[in-house]
Amino acid sequence: MAKIIPFKAVRPTRDKVNLVAARSYQSYTKEQLESRLRDNPFSFLHIVNPGYRFDKEISGIERYSLVKNRYLEFKEDAIFVQDSKPCYYVYKIVDRENQEFNGIIAAVSALDYENNRIRKHEDTIAYKEIIFKDYLKTVGFNAEPVLLTYPDNTVIKNIISKKQKERAEYEFTTTYRDTHYLWKVEKPELLKAIETEFESMSHVYIADGHHRSASSYLLYKDCKTENKNHSGQEPYNFFMSYLIPESDLRIHEFNRLVKDLNGLTKEAFLIQLDTVYRIENRGSIPYKPNQKHQFSMYLDGEFYSLHLRKTAYKMTNSLDGLDTQILFKTILEPILGIVDLRNDNRIMYMNGKNDVVNMKSSVDNGDFAVGFGMVPVKIDEMKQIADDGLKMPPKSTFIEPKLRSGITIYEF
């Protein structure tokens, strides 16, 4: 059973939440970051970028300590206040394309992560886990929920729908034209009903946030070892998540761009591809595949369709049938010589939401020699790979919604 509990969130006041909320730090360009830090003193970016005050780049433990100081200042100035009772938080996002995401912000169990009741489909990088664990341990809070998904549930759906008929605690629109809503759930009978429904689920799945989950688990292990009176109820036993039903999840593909043909001529490259794929030249008109095991390729000003030859590739498990794995095992590794998908600087990933036109532009301007597009991974594929204990290649999924930092904060 999955243990999902309410918690006392630290949150911005209603009048400042739109000013506080921020995208992930890494998603801003240098110019965007400078603008927001200069013009908005309430942005959560001031907390995670404390060196701005000193006009200095600060890293490591020194930065972590200053992040904590900025956070405490926001609390002292009553920009942040903490709820007096544990709550679940119904959270809704309506994006600029009018796609709607509805779910619940809650605390989930690190022990469930350990016991695989929170299931993973991506590998994590050990040193990144440790860096973020050390960060969490110093600052003492988590400000961006991990995105989890669960099978559609009628009881939870009805509670969310009923709550959304009330006045929202927050309602604000970002400069990206996404509108965010938040409602507090604090009635004991509703808290119990939600907790019971999640307890009936054997497991839930990480959709986005594998490194944050892994780091929270490492924090739990550290704190458990250091606390001689560990009871299992301390805040460090849990981490903050946004849980949405599977039907609300949106999965896009990541296209692959490679800088060179690994010393091959165009003709030699196409000949090697022909042993594994049926190749058709589609000309200069953008082409996007519409079926699994089919790929688009852009090379030297022309699009190609690649259809996997069934006799040329064996599928023995759920990972073998994943298109990103097929592309890796049939082209990227054996022909283009890319072995390390995470660290080889010859490959770049571009989310497919931006379409193949951007892939074309990146090749046409000379930054890359070839680009590959594919259809998005299905939720059932993602779940099956997680159930089988396997891991997808990096950048197999671009998942929405993308969450804002600083709207609800979990302290431990």
PDB file of all heavy atoms in Angstrom, residues 218-250:
ATOM      1  N   LEU A 218      17.961   9.400   0.287  1.00  0.00           N
ATOM      2  CA  LEU A 218      19.272   9.435   0.940  1.00  0.00           C
ATOM      3  C   LEU A 218      19.229  10.281   2.208  1.00  0.00           C
ATOM      4  O   LEU A 218      19.862   9.935   3.216  1.00  0.00           O
ATOM      5  CB  LEU A 218      20.327   9.995  -0.019  1.00  0.00           C
ATOM      6  CG  LEU A 218      20.700   9.132  -1.225  1.00  0.00           C
ATOM      7  CD1 LEU A 218      21.778   9.829  -2.044  1.00  0.00           C
ATOM      8  CD2 LEU A 218      21.169   7.751  -0.807  1.00  0.00           C
ATOM      9  N   LEU A 219      18.491  11.379   2.160  1.00  0.00           N
ATOM     10  CA  LEU A 219      18.330  12.222   3.351  1.00  0.00           C
ATOM     11  C   LEU A 219      17.667  11.418   4.470  1.00  0.00           C
ATOM     12  O   LEU A 219      18.102  11.470   5.629  1.00  0.00           O
ATOM     13  CB  LEU A 219      17.485  13.449   3.012  1.00  0.00           C
ATOM     14  CG  LEU A 219      17.154  14.371   4.183  1.00  0.00           C
ATOM     15  CD1 LEU A 219      18.388  15.119   4.653  1.00  0.00           C
ATOM     16  CD2 LEU A 219      16.041  15.347   3.801  1.00  0.00           C
ATOM     17  N   TYR A 220      16.621  10.703   4.130  1.00  0.00           N
ATOM     18  CA  TYR A 220      15.924   9.852   5.105  1.00  0.00           C
ATOM     19  C   TYR A 220      16.893   8.852   5.740  1.00  0.00           C
ATOM     20  O   TYR A 220      16.917   8.669   6.968  1.00  0.00           O
ATOM     21  CB  TYR A 220      14.766   9.141   4.398  1.00  0.00           C
ATOM     22  CG  TYR A 220      14.382   7.800   4.957  1.00  0.00           C
ATOM     23  CD1 TYR A 220      13.652   7.680   6.140  1.00  0.00           C
ATOM     24  CD2 TYR A 220      14.760   6.621   4.291  1.00  0.00           C
ATOM     25  CE1 TYR A 220      13.302   6.431   6.636  1.00  0.00           C
ATOM     26  CE2 TYR A 220      14.413   5.383   4.786  1.00  0.00           C
ATOM     27  CZ  TYR A 220      13.688   5.284   5.962  1.00  0.00           C
ATOM     28  OH  TYR A 220      13.352   4.049   6.456  1.00  0.00           O
ATOM     29  N   LYS A 221      17.734   8.210   4.922  1.00  0.00           N
ATOM     30  CA  LYS A 221      18.669   7.223   5.462  1.00  0.00           C
ATOM     31  C   LYS A 221      19.688   7.876   6.396  1.00  0.00           C
ATOM     32  O   LYS A 221      20.011   7.326   7.457  1.00  0.00           O
ATOM     33  CB  LYS A 221      19.381   6.500   4.315  1.00  0.00           C
ATOM     34  CG  LYS A 221      18.478   5.552   3.540  1.00  0.00           C
ATOM     35  CD  LYS A 221      19.251   4.392   2.921  1.00  0.00           C
ATOM     36  CE  LYS A 221      20.302   4.854   1.960  1.00  0.00           C
ATOM     37  NZ  LYS A 221      21.024   3.705   1.349  1.00  0.00           N
ATOM     38  N   ASP A 222      20.194   9.034   6.016  1.00  0.00           N
ATOM     39  CA  ASP A 222      21.146   9.759   6.863  1.00  0.00           C
ATOM     40  C   ASP A 222      20.528  10.118   8.213  1.00  0.00           C
ATOM     41  O   ASP A 222      21.105   9.868   9.270  1.00  0.00           O
ATOM     42  CB  ASP A 222      21.608  11.040   6.171  1.00  0.00           C
ATOM     43  CG  ASP A 222      22.835  10.837   5.311  1.00  0.00           C
ATOM     44  OD1 ASP A 222      23.192   9.673   5.055  1.00  0.00           O
ATOM     45  OD2 ASP A 222      23.433  11.843   4.879  1.00  0.00           O
ATOM     46  N   CYS A 223      19.343  10.729   8.134  1.00  0.00           N
ATOM     47  CA  CYS A 223      18.694  11.204   9.358  1.00  0.00           C
ATOM     48  C   CYS A 223      18.285  10.044  10.264  1.00  0.00           C
ATOM     49  O   CYS A 223      18.389  10.137  11.489  1.00  0.00           O
ATOM     50  CB  CYS A 223      17.479  12.061   9.011  1.00  0.00           C
ATOM     51  SG  CYS A 223      17.888  13.614   8.187  1.00  0.00           S
ATOM     52  N   LYS A 224      17.841   8.966   9.663  1.00  0.00           N
ATOM     53  CA  LYS A 224      17.451   7.787  10.434  1.00  0.00           C
ATOM     54  C   LYS A 224      18.657   7.233  11.196  1.00  0.00           C
ATOM     55  O   LYS A 224      18.556   6.869  12.380  1.00  0.00           O
ATOM     56  CB  LYS A 224      16.881   6.728   9.500  1.00  0.00           C
ATOM     57  CG  LYS A 224      16.483   5.427  10.176  1.00  0.00           C
ATOM     58  CD  LYS A 224      15.984   4.419   9.143  1.00  0.00           C
ATOM     59  CE  LYS A 224      15.653   3.078   9.786  1.00  0.00           C
ATOM     60  NZ  LYS A 224      15.195   2.091   8.780  1.00  0.00           N
ATOM     61  N   THR A 225      19.807   7.187  10.546  1.00  0.00           N
ATOM     62  CA  THR A 225      21.028   6.679  11.175  1.00  0.00           C
ATOM     63  C   THR A 225      21.485   7.593  12.316  1.00  0.00           C
ATOM     64  O   THR A 225      21.944   7.115  13.371  1.00  0.00           O
ATOM     65  CB  THR A 225      22.152   6.552  10.125  1.00  0.00           C
ATOM     66  OG1 THR A 225      21.725   5.664   9.088  1.00  0.00           O
ATOM     67  CG2 THR A 225      23.434   6.030  10.752  1.00  0.00           C
ATOM     68  N   GLU A 226      21.335   8.905  12.112  1.00  0.00           N
ATOM     69  CA  GLU A 226      21.833   9.874  13.092  1.00  0.00           C
ATOM     70  C   GLU A 226      20.892  10.058  14.281  1.00  0.00           C
ATOM     71  O   GLU A 226      21.311  10.543  15.336  1.00  0.00           O
ATOM     72  CB  GLU A 226      22.058  11.226  12.390  1.00  0.00           C
ATOM     73  CG  GLU A 226      23.175  11.178  11.351  1.00  0.00           C
ATOM     74  CD  GLU A 226      23.168  12.379  10.433  1.00  0.00           C
ATOM     75  OE1 GLU A 226      22.332  13.303  10.666  1.00  0.00           O
ATOM     76  OE2 GLU A 226      23.974  12.412   9.478  1.00  0.00           O
ATOM     77  N   ASN A 227      19.634   9.682  14.122  1.00  0.00           N
ATOM     78  CA  ASN A 227      18.635   9.908  15.175  1.00  0.00           C
ATOM     79  C   ASN A 227      18.456   8.633  16.001  1.00  0.00           C
ATOM     80  O   ASN A 227      17.820   7.676  15.564  1.00  0.00           O
ATOM     81  CB  ASN A 227      17.310  10.331  14.547  1.00  0.00           C
ATOM     82  CG  ASN A 227      16.247  10.650  15.577  1.00  0.00           C
ATOM     83  OD1 ASN A 227      16.488  10.582  16.786  1.00  0.00           O
ATOM     84  ND2 ASN A 227      15.057  11.001  15.104  1.00  0.00           N
ATOM     85  N   LYS A 228      19.008   8.625  17.199  1.00  0.00           N
ATOM     86  CA  LYS A 228      18.907   7.439  18.058  1.00  0.00           C
ATOM     87  C   LYS A 228      17.468   7.136  18.476  1.00  0.00           C
ATOM     88  O   LYS A 228      17.145   6.014  18.865  1.00  0.00           O
ATOM     89  CB  LYS A 228      19.783   7.629  19.299  1.00  0.00           C
ATOM     90  CG  LYS A 228      21.272   7.681  18.986  1.00  0.00           C
ATOM     91  CD  LYS A 228      22.087   7.875  20.253  1.00  0.00           C
ATOM     92  CE  LYS A 228      23.582   7.952  19.931  1.00  0.00           C
ATOM     93  NZ  LYS A 228      24.401   8.174  21.160  1.00  0.00           N
ATOM     94  N   ASN A 229      16.608   8.161  18.420  1.00  0.00           N
ATOM     95  CA  ASN A 229      15.208   7.984  18.819  1.00  0.00           C
ATOM     96  C   ASN A 229      14.272   7.944  17.616  1.00  0.00           C
ATOM     97  O   ASN A 229      13.091   8.285  17.724  1.00  0.00           O
ATOM     98  CB  ASN A 229      14.802   9.115  19.771  1.00  0.00           C
ATOM     99  CG  ASN A 229      15.627   9.120  21.036  1.00  0.00           C
ATOM    100  OD1 ASN A 229      15.816   8.082  21.666  1.00  0.00           O
ATOM    101  ND2 ASN A 229      16.139  10.295  21.413  1.00  0.00           N
ATOM    102  N   HIS A 230      14.816   7.535  16.491  1.00  0.00           N
ATOM    103  CA  HIS A 230      14.019   7.486  15.253  1.00  0.00           C
ATOM    104  C   HIS A 230      12.724   6.693  15.460  1.00  0.00           C
ATOM    105  O   HIS A 230      12.738   5.568  15.963  1.00  0.00           O
ATOM    106  CB  HIS A 230      14.845   6.826  14.146  1.00  0.00           C
ATOM    107  CG  HIS A 230      14.084   6.566  12.888  1.00  0.00           C
ATOM    108  ND1 HIS A 230      13.849   7.531  11.959  1.00  0.00           N
ATOM    109  CD2 HIS A 230      13.492   5.425  12.425  1.00  0.00           C
ATOM    110  CE1 HIS A 230      13.157   7.003  10.964  1.00  0.00           C
ATOM    111  NE2 HIS A 230      12.930   5.730  11.216  1.00  0.00           N
ATOM    112  N   SER A 231      11.605   7.314  15.041  1.00  0.00           N
ATOM    113  CA  SER A 231      10.301   6.664  15.221  1.00  0.00           C
ATOM    114  C   SER A 231       9.623   6.304  13.910  1.00  0.00           C
ATOM    115  O   SER A 231       8.671   5.518  13.889  1.00  0.00           O
ATOM    116  CB  SER A 231       9.377   7.595  16.016  1.00  0.00           C
ATOM    117  OG  SER A 231       9.040   8.741  15.239  1.00  0.00           O
ATOM    118  N   GLY A 232      10.080   6.901  12.815  1.00  0.00           N
ATOM    119  CA  GLY A 232       9.416   6.689  11.526  1.00  0.00           C
ATOM    120  C   GLY A 232       8.368   7.730  11.212  1.00  0.00           C
ATOM    121  O   GLY A 232       7.806   7.738  10.113  1.00  0.00           O
ATOM    122  N   GLN A 233       8.107   8.629  12.169  1.00  0.00           N
ATOM    123  CA  GLN A 233       7.085   9.665  11.959  1.00  0.00           C
ATOM    124  C   GLN A 233       7.695  11.044  11.731  1.00  0.00           C
ATOM    125  O   GLN A 233       6.978  12.010  11.465  1.00  0.00           O
ATOM    126  CB  GLN A 233       6.146   9.730  13.172  1.00  0.00           C
ATOM    127  CG  GLN A 233       5.413   8.423  13.455  1.00  0.00           C
ATOM    128  CD  GLN A 233       4.649   7.916  12.247  1.00  0.00           C
ATOM    129  OE1 GLN A 233       3.903   8.662  11.612  1.00  0.00           O
ATOM    130  NE2 GLN A 233       4.839   6.641  11.922  1.00  0.00           N
ATOM    131  N   GLU A 234       9.004  11.157  11.865  1.00  0.00           N
ATOM    132  CA  GLU A 234       9.657  12.449  11.675  1.00  0.00           C
ATOM    133  C   GLU A 234       9.451  12.953  10.245  1.00  0.00           C
ATOM    134  O   GLU A 234       9.305  12.152   9.304  1.00  0.00           O
ATOM    135  CB  GLU A 234      11.160  12.341  11.965  1.00  0.00           C
ATOM    136  CG  GLU A 234      11.508  11.928  13.389  1.00  0.00           C
ATOM    137  CD  GLU A 234      11.549  10.424  13.587  1.00  0.00           C
ATOM    138  OE1 GLU A 234      11.168   9.688  12.639  1.00  0.00           O
ATOM    139  OE2 GLU A 234      11.952  10.002  14.681  1.00  0.00           O
ATOM    140  N   PRO A 235       9.438  14.268  10.051  1.00  0.00           N
ATOM    141  CA  PRO A 235       9.224  14.812   8.702  1.00  0.00           C
ATOM    142  C   PRO A 235      10.200  14.294   7.652  1.00  0.00           C
ATOM    143  O   PRO A 235       9.833  14.175   6.480  1.00  0.00           O
ATOM    144  CB  PRO A 235       9.384  16.327   8.914  1.00  0.00           C
ATOM    145  CG  PRO A 235       8.985  16.553  10.335  1.00  0.00           C
ATOM    146  CD  PRO A 235       9.482  15.337  11.075  1.00  0.00           C
ATOM    147  N   TYR A 236      11.440  13.963   8.046  1.00  0.00           N
ATOM    148  CA  TYR A 236      12.405  13.481   7.053  1.00  0.00           C
ATOM    149  C   TYR A 236      12.036  12.116   6.485  1.00  0.00           C
ATOM    150  O   TYR A 236      12.639  11.659   5.514  1.00  0.00           O
ATOM    151  CB  TYR A 236      13.822  13.460   7.634  1.00  0.00           C
ATOM    152  CG  TYR A 236      14.043  12.564   8.840  1.00  0.00           C
ATOM    153  CD1 TYR A 236      14.043  11.158   8.718  1.00  0.00           C
ATOM    154  CD2 TYR A 236      14.281  13.101  10.107  1.00  0.00           C
ATOM    155  CE1 TYR A 236      14.247  10.338   9.821  1.00  0.00           C
ATOM    156  CE2 TYR A 236      14.490  12.284  11.216  1.00  0.00           C
ATOM    157  CZ  TYR A 236      14.474  10.898  11.066  1.00  0.00           C
ATOM    158  OH  TYR A 236      14.692  10.088  12.153  1.00  0.00           O
ATOM    159  N   ASN A 237      11.058  11.446   7.084  1.00  0.00           N
ATOM    160  CA  ASN A 237      10.596  10.158   6.553  1.00  0.00           C
ATOM    161  C   ASN A 237       9.738  10.322   5.302  1.00  0.00           C
ATOM    162  O   ASN A 237       9.352   9.320   4.688  1.00  0.00           O
ATOM    163  CB  ASN A 237       9.774   9.414   7.609  1.00  0.00           C
ATOM    164  CG  ASN A 237      10.623   8.893   8.739  1.00  0.00           C
ATOM    165  OD1 ASN A 237      11.224   7.841   8.640  1.00  0.00           O
ATOM    166  ND2 ASN A 237      10.695   9.656   9.833  1.00  0.00           N
ATOM    167  N   PHE A 238       9.439  11.555   4.925  1.00  0.00           N
ATOM    168  CA  PHE A 238       8.529  11.825   3.812  1.00  0.00           C
ATOM    169  C   PHE A 238       9.122  12.906   2.903  1.00  0.00           C
ATOM    170  O   PHE A 238      10.007  13.653   3.306  1.00  0.00           O
ATOM    171  CB  PHE A 238       7.167  12.284   4.345  1.00  0.00           C
ATOM    172  CG  PHE A 238       6.514  11.287   5.263  1.00  0.00           C
ATOM    173  CD1 PHE A 238       6.762  11.311   6.633  1.00  0.00           C
ATOM    174  CD2 PHE A 238       5.679  10.305   4.763  1.00  0.00           C
ATOM    175  CE1 PHE A 238       6.183  10.394   7.491  1.00  0.00           C
ATOM    176  CE2 PHE A 238       5.092   9.370   5.601  1.00  0.00           C
ATOM    177  CZ  PHE A 238       5.342   9.411   6.967  1.00  0.00           C
ATOM    178  N   PHE A 239       8.606  12.986   1.695  1.00  0.00           N
ATOM    179  CA  PHE A 239       8.990  14.086   0.805  1.00  0.00           C
ATOM    180  C   PHE A 239       7.761  14.521   0.008  1.00  0.00           C
ATOM    181  O   PHE A 239       6.797  13.766  -0.175  1.00  0.00           O
ATOM    182  CB  PHE A 239      10.164  13.719  -0.108  1.00  0.00           C
ATOM    183  CG  PHE A 239       9.976  12.507  -0.984  1.00  0.00           C
ATOM    184  CD1 PHE A 239       9.538  12.630  -2.297  1.00  0.00           C
ATOM    185  CD2 PHE A 239      10.281  11.238  -0.505  1.00  0.00           C
ATOM    186  CE1 PHE A 239       9.396  11.522  -3.115  1.00  0.00           C
ATOM    187  CE2 PHE A 239      10.145  10.104  -1.312  1.00  0.00           C
ATOM    188  CZ  PHE A 239       9.705  10.249  -2.618  1.00  0.00           C
ATOM    189  N   MET A 240       7.798  15.759  -0.445  1.00  0.00           N
ATOM    190  CA  MET A 240       6.625  16.379  -1.063  1.00  0.00           C
ATOM    191  C   MET A 240       6.455  15.927  -2.517  1.00  0.00           C
ATOM    192  O   MET A 240       7.420  15.861  -3.277  1.00  0.00           O
ATOM    193  CB  MET A 240       6.756  17.901  -0.999  1.00  0.00           C
ATOM    194  CG  MET A 240       5.545  18.644  -1.542  1.00  0.00           C
ATOM    195  SD  MET A 240       5.611  20.422  -1.209  1.00  0.00           S
ATOM    196  CE  MET A 240       7.063  20.917  -2.133  1.00  0.00           C
ATOM    197  N   SER A 241       5.219  15.643  -2.879  1.00  0.00           N
ATOM    198  CA  SER A 241       4.905  15.195  -4.235  1.00  0.00           C
ATOM    199  C   SER A 241       3.586  15.783  -4.709  1.00  0.00           C
ATOM    200  O   SER A 241       2.726  16.144  -3.906  1.00  0.00           O
ATOM    201  CB  SER A 241       4.809  13.661  -4.295  1.00  0.00           C
ATOM    202  OG  SER A 241       6.040  13.066  -3.986  1.00  0.00           O
ATOM    203  N   TYR A 242       3.470  15.880  -6.018  1.00  0.00           N
ATOM    204  CA  TYR A 242       2.209  16.243  -6.666  1.00  0.00           C
ATOM    205  C   TYR A 242       1.730  14.993  -7.379  1.00  0.00           C
ATOM    206  O   TYR A 242       2.373  14.515  -8.312  1.00  0.00           O
ATOM    207  CB  TYR A 242       2.437  17.397  -7.634  1.00  0.00           C
ATOM    208  CG  TYR A 242       1.208  17.851  -8.398  1.00  0.00           C
ATOM    209  CD1 TYR A 242      -0.032  17.981  -7.785  1.00  0.00           C
ATOM    210  CD2 TYR A 242       1.288  18.193  -9.750  1.00  0.00           C
ATOM    211  CE1 TYR A 242      -1.150  18.420  -8.485  1.00  0.00           C
ATOM    212  CE2 TYR A 242       0.184  18.643 -10.459  1.00  0.00           C
ATOM    213  CZ  TYR A 242      -1.031  18.742  -9.828  1.00  0.00           C
ATOM    214  OH  TYR A 242      -2.140  19.181 -10.531  1.00  0.00           O
ATOM    215  N   LEU A 243       0.617  14.448  -6.918  1.00  0.00           N
ATOM    216  CA  LEU A 243       0.088  13.189  -7.461  1.00  0.00           C
ATOM    217  C   LEU A 243      -1.069  13.486  -8.396  1.00  0.00           C
ATOM    218  O   LEU A 243      -2.060  14.115  -8.012  1.00  0.00           O
ATOM    219  CB  LEU A 243      -0.377  12.280  -6.316  1.00  0.00           C
ATOM    220  CG  LEU A 243       0.731  11.838  -5.357  1.00  0.00           C
ATOM    221  CD1 LEU A 243       0.574  12.538  -4.017  1.00  0.00           C
ATOM    222  CD2 LEU A 243       0.714  10.323  -5.167  1.00  0.00           C
ATOM    223  N   ILE A 244      -0.949  13.039  -9.640  1.00  0.00           N
ATOM    224  CA  ILE A 244      -2.022  13.248 -10.607  1.00  0.00           C
ATOM    225  C   ILE A 244      -2.421  11.909 -11.221  1.00  0.00           C
ATOM    226  O   ILE A 244      -1.598  10.989 -11.326  1.00  0.00           O
ATOM    227  CB  ILE A 244      -1.645  14.255 -11.716  1.00  0.00           C
ATOM    228  CG1 ILE A 244      -0.567  13.699 -12.648  1.00  0.00           C
ATOM    229  CG2 ILE A 244      -1.198  15.575 -11.126  1.00  0.00           C
ATOM    230  CD1 ILE A 244      -0.341  14.583 -13.870  1.00  0.00           C
ATOM    231  N   PRO A 245      -3.679  11.777 -11.628  1.00  0.00           N
ATOM    232  CA  PRO A 245      -4.117  10.521 -12.249  1.00  0.00           C
ATOM    233  C   PRO A 245      -3.449  10.322 -13.606  1.00  0.00           C
ATOM    234  O   PRO A 245      -3.072  11.287 -14.281  1.00  0.00           O
ATOM    235  CB  PRO A 245      -5.628  10.706 -12.388  1.00  0.00           C
ATOM    236  CG  PRO A 245      -5.841  12.180 -12.392  1.00  0.00           C
ATOM    237  CD  PRO A 245      -4.778  12.761 -11.524  1.00  0.00           C
ATOM    238  N   GLU A 246      -3.322   9.075 -14.005  1.00  0.00           N
ATOM    239  CA  GLU A 246      -2.655   8.755 -15.262  1.00  0.00           C
ATOM    240  C   GLU A 246      -3.289   9.460 -16.460  1.00  0.00           C
ATOM    241  O   GLU A 246      -2.583   9.857 -17.395  1.00  0.00           O
ATOM    242  CB  GLU A 246      -2.672   7.243 -15.483  1.00  0.00           C
ATOM    243  CG  GLU A 246      -1.814   6.473 -14.508  1.00  0.00           C
ATOM    244  CD  GLU A 246      -1.983   4.970 -14.620  1.00  0.00           C
ATOM    245  OE1 GLU A 246      -2.702   4.520 -15.548  1.00  0.00           O
ATOM    246  OE2 GLU A 246      -1.409   4.236 -13.798  1.00  0.00           O
ATOM    247  N   SER A 247      -4.606   9.640 -16.429  1.00  0.00           N
ATOM    248  CA  SER A 247      -5.282  10.257 -17.570  1.00  0.00           C
ATOM    249  C   SER A 247      -4.924  11.731 -17.736  1.00  0.00           C
ATOM    250  O   SER A 247      -5.130  12.306 -18.809  1.00  0.00           O
ATOM    251  CB  SER A 247      -6.801  10.112 -17.427  1.00  0.00           C
ATOM    252  OG  SER A 247      -7.245  10.727 -16.227  1.00  0.00           O
ATOM    253  N   ASP A 248      -4.399  12.363 -16.679  1.00  0.00           N
ATOM    254  CA  ASP A 248      -4.012  13.772 -16.763  1.00  0.00           C
ATOM    255  C   ASP A 248      -2.571  13.958 -17.221  1.00  0.00           C
ATOM    256  O   ASP A 248      -2.178  15.071 -17.588  1.00  0.00           O
ATOM    257  CB  ASP A 248      -4.175  14.448 -15.394  1.00  0.00           C
ATOM    258  CG  ASP A 248      -5.585  14.985 -15.177  1.00  0.00           C
ATOM    259  OD1 ASP A 248      -6.501  14.517 -15.883  1.00  0.00           O
ATOM    260  OD2 ASP A 248      -5.778  15.845 -14.304  1.00  0.00           O
ATOM    261  N   LEU A 249      -1.775  12.912 -17.193  1.00  0.00           N
ATOM    262  CA  LEU A 249      -0.369  13.016 -17.547  1.00  0.00           C
ATOM    263  C   LEU A 249      -0.216  13.233 -19.053  1.00  0.00           C
ATOM    264  O   LEU A 249      -0.923  12.618 -19.844  1.00  0.00           O
ATOM    265  CB  LEU A 249       0.354  11.733 -17.132  1.00  0.00           C
ATOM    266  CG  LEU A 249       1.853  11.807 -16.875  1.00  0.00           C
ATOM    267  CD1 LEU A 249       2.155  12.700 -15.682  1.00  0.00           C
ATOM    268  CD2 LEU A 249       2.394  10.399 -16.627  1.00  0.00           C
ATOM    269  N   ARG A 250       0.689  14.103 -19.446  1.00  0.00           N
ATOM    270  CA  ARG A 250       0.989  14.336 -20.860  1.00  0.00           C
ATOM    271  C   ARG A 250       2.447  13.973 -21.103  1.00  0.00           C
ATOM    272  O   ARG A 250       3.342  14.513 -20.458  1.00  0.00           O
ATOM    273  CB  ARG A 250       0.748  15.797 -21.245  1.00  0.00           C
ATOM    274  CG  ARG A 250      -0.683  16.261 -21.037  1.00  0.00           C
ATOM    275  CD  ARG A 250      -1.641  15.648 -22.054  1.00  0.00           C
ATOM    276  NE  ARG A 250      -3.008  16.109 -21.838  1.00  0.00           N
ATOM    277  CZ  ARG A 250      -3.896  15.496 -21.076  1.00  0.00           C
ATOM    278  NH1 ARG A 250      -3.564  14.386 -20.436  1.00  0.00           N
ATOM    279  NH2 ARG A 250      -5.122  15.963 -20.936  1.00  0.00           N
TER     280      ARG A 250
END
